[in-house]
Amino acid sequence: MRWHLDSPSEGEASARSLAADPWTLFAGSSRSRSPQATAPPSSMAAQLPLPPPPPDPQFVLRGTQSAVHALHFWEGAQGQGHPLLLSGSLSGLVHIWSLQTRRAVVTLDGHGGQCVTWLQTLPQGHQLLSQGRDLRLCLWDLAEGRNTVVDSVHLESMGFCRGSILAGGQQHWTLAVPGRGSDEVQILEMPSKTSVCTLKLEADAKPGMPMCLELWQADSSPRPLLLAGYEDGSVALWDISERKVCSHIACHTEPIIGLDFDSQKARGVSGSAEKALAVWSLDEQQALQVCSTHKLTNPGISDVKIRPDRKILATAGWDHRVRVFHWRTMKPLAVLAFHSAAVHCVAFAANGLLAAGSRDQRISVWSLYPRR
């Protein structure tokens, strides 16, 4: 396992600025200097304390027996403030992990051996949604030790697109999933499965398939909105109530595979098959605009997540690495090079823990830049 800071080619600070900006990975630890920093004279080196050893993950979860494609923290599931970690695997299984015992406490099998691509718990606290490549979205009842599928939604298409939900009242919620047409998004009212609308860009836009979806709602408005990343590298903002697209911009030259949105700052980030992250914003007229792009060493971002406190974000890379950035400045903070195969997904817990799932069948759990 190797851990290092990003190289200067990815925008990491020089040795001088590192010394002036003492970020720490763990409370009380020292930040490693850039490998390009000038070594001190041998007489001084003898007096300097040795740097701490490279940090490992806090722990590693094994036992999925296939590649990990989805992760989600189930907050407060045990009623003691200790989250459980849910993982979805290539073999179609959902594992529920205790972070105290570091073992899988429940295994759910509802997708006929087809890859599980998305996991989400509902606000009620005991219901789980799992999406699989078997074209089923399963609703599980996990209350009081139960582990049964109580309902399911047949998906018209799958592609590579994960669903998204927006909680409404105590019993009602909105679901966005890929639609029947290859370039459509279907909006459903749940749990009744009532079709609200189908969203499709104008014919001459040719965005390709929707690749990732993010339902959200501004604090100042009751109208649900949808951000959709498409195969052509564009992002569109939809007003679901009006069934219209508010803004549509090009962010990447390759398909968007992961995006996340900070509704408080009206700012989002997306990753694609290319060697760059795009940061974009939403103004008061609901117009999207690209703010900046950030080059990466290697191509391919499978997933991107902003931590709930909006301080840092993490990306899952095809190059086996998890990269961590400062969300406000997009300054590269760290590269976590633990995994031996492509990292497919990342997830943050409310307490700041970061989990990463990989094709190497392992889940690494990290405590990085602890929340203050």
Side-chain angles (χ1 to χ4, degrees):
M1 187 283 294
R2 295 182 296 109
W3 175 92
H4 57 87
L5 294 172
D6 271 354
S7 64
S9 64
E10 294 187 38
E12 183 57 280
S14 65
R16 179 179 300 175
S17 61
L18 282 174
D21 179 24
W23 272 84
T24 55
L25 182 62
F26 294 96
S29 68
S30 299
R31 185 179 184 174
S32 301
R33 288 183 177 273
S34 168
Q36 285 75 23
T38 304
S42 56
S43 59
M44 292 178 60
Q47 302 174 14
L48 293 175
L50 293 175
D56 291 326
Q58 186 167 328
F59 52 86
V60 178
L61 303 175
R62 298 175 174 86
T64 62
Q65 300 180 346
S66 65
V68 180
H69 281 260
L71 289 172
H72 176 69
F73 280 98
W74 185 11
E75 304 288 348
Q78 296 172 313
Q80 300 176 354
H82 301 294
L84 297 175
L85 179 61
L86 312 177
S87 68
S89 69
L90 179 64
S91 62
L93 300 179
V94 176
H95 292 87
I96 302 179
W97 302 87
S98 167
L99 300 187
Q100 294 172 293
T101 64
R102 302 173 189 178
R103 296 178 180 274
V105 294
V106 176
T107 300
L108 308 176
D109 186 359
H111 291 281
Q114 298 294 308
C115 180
V116 176
T117 59
W118 179 57
L119 296 167
Q120 179 69 52
T121 50
L122 297 182
Q124 290 85 346
H126 63 270
Q127 291 182 308
L128 166 69
L129 286 171
S130 65
Q131 179 181 336
R133 294 194 67 84
D134 59 344
L135 295 179
R136 286 185 77 208
L137 191 147
C138 296
L139 177 63
W140 301 81
D141 179 9
L142 304 179
E144 300 176 352
R146 293 189 289 272
N147 53 9
T148 56
V149 176
V150 295
D151 203 353
S152 65
V153 176
H154 174 74
L155 303 178
E156 299 290 348
S157 65
M158 176 58 198
F160 301 92
C161 188
R162 301 162 177 165
S164 179
I165 66 167
L166 179 64
Q170 185 67 20
Q171 301 297 328
H172 299 278
W173 39 284
T174 303
L175 171 68
V177 292
R180 176 174 297 179
S182 62
D183 56 353
E184 295 178 350
V185 178
Q186 182 73 29
I187 306 297
L188 300 174
E189 186 69 30
M190 298 293 289
S192 67
K193 306 180 194 176
T194 303
S195 178
V196 175
C197 62
T198 298
L199 305 177
K200 180 178 179 178
L201 290 168
E202 58 275 11
D204 58 350
K206 297 181 180 179
M209 296 184 295
M211 302 293 291
C212 41
L213 306 171
E214 183 74 22
L215 280 167
W216 64 286
Q217 188 171 307
D219 294 337
S220 58
S221 171
R223 304 167 74 90
L225 301 170
L226 172 73
L227 285 161
Y230 288 94
E231 188 179 4
D232 68 347
S234 65
V235 173
L237 174 69
W238 291 92
D239 185 321
I240 294 174
S241 301
E242 296 290 333
R243 279 73 162 164
K244 70 175 184 178
V245 63
C246 303
S247 183
H248 184 207
I249 58 168
C251 295
H252 301 270
T253 60
E254 297 285 346
I256 295 178
I257 306 176
L259 66 77
D260 202 3
F261 185 67
D262 179 349
S263 59
Q264 292 193 14
K265 297 180 180 178
R267 187 165 169 255
V269 60
S270 53
S272 73
E274 63 187 355
K275 297 168 61 174
L277 287 174
V279 177
W280 30 272
S281 64
L282 182 65
D283 64 21
E284 294 180 354
Q285 286 71 45
Q286 295 187 329
L288 292 166
Q289 56 185 354
V290 177
C291 301
S292 58
T293 57
H294 301 270
K295 296 297 182 181
L296 304 174
T297 300
N298 300 310
I301 295 296
S302 302
D303 197 11
V304 56
K305 287 291 187 298
I306 302 168
R307 199 165 73 174
D309 65 356
R310 302 177 303 283
K311 298 296 184 183
I312 63 175
L313 68 91
T315 64
W318 297 359
D319 62 355
H320 313 175
R321 289 161 173 76
V322 176
R323 284 179 164 78
V324 182
F325 297 82
H326 189 283
W327 174 222
R328 180 176 59 83
T329 64
M330 287 303 293
K331 179 179 179 179
L333 298 178
V335 176
L336 310 177
F338 169 78
H339 289 282
S340 58
V343 182
H344 290 149
C345 49
V346 288
F348 279 109
N351 63 8
L353 285 179
L354 167 66
S358 170
R359 184 180 177 184
D360 66 11
Q361 305 182 17
R362 296 181 294 175
I363 302 168
S364 58
V365 181
W366 307 79
S367 179
L368 304 177
Y369 305 107
R371 295 181 60 176
R372 297 176 181 176

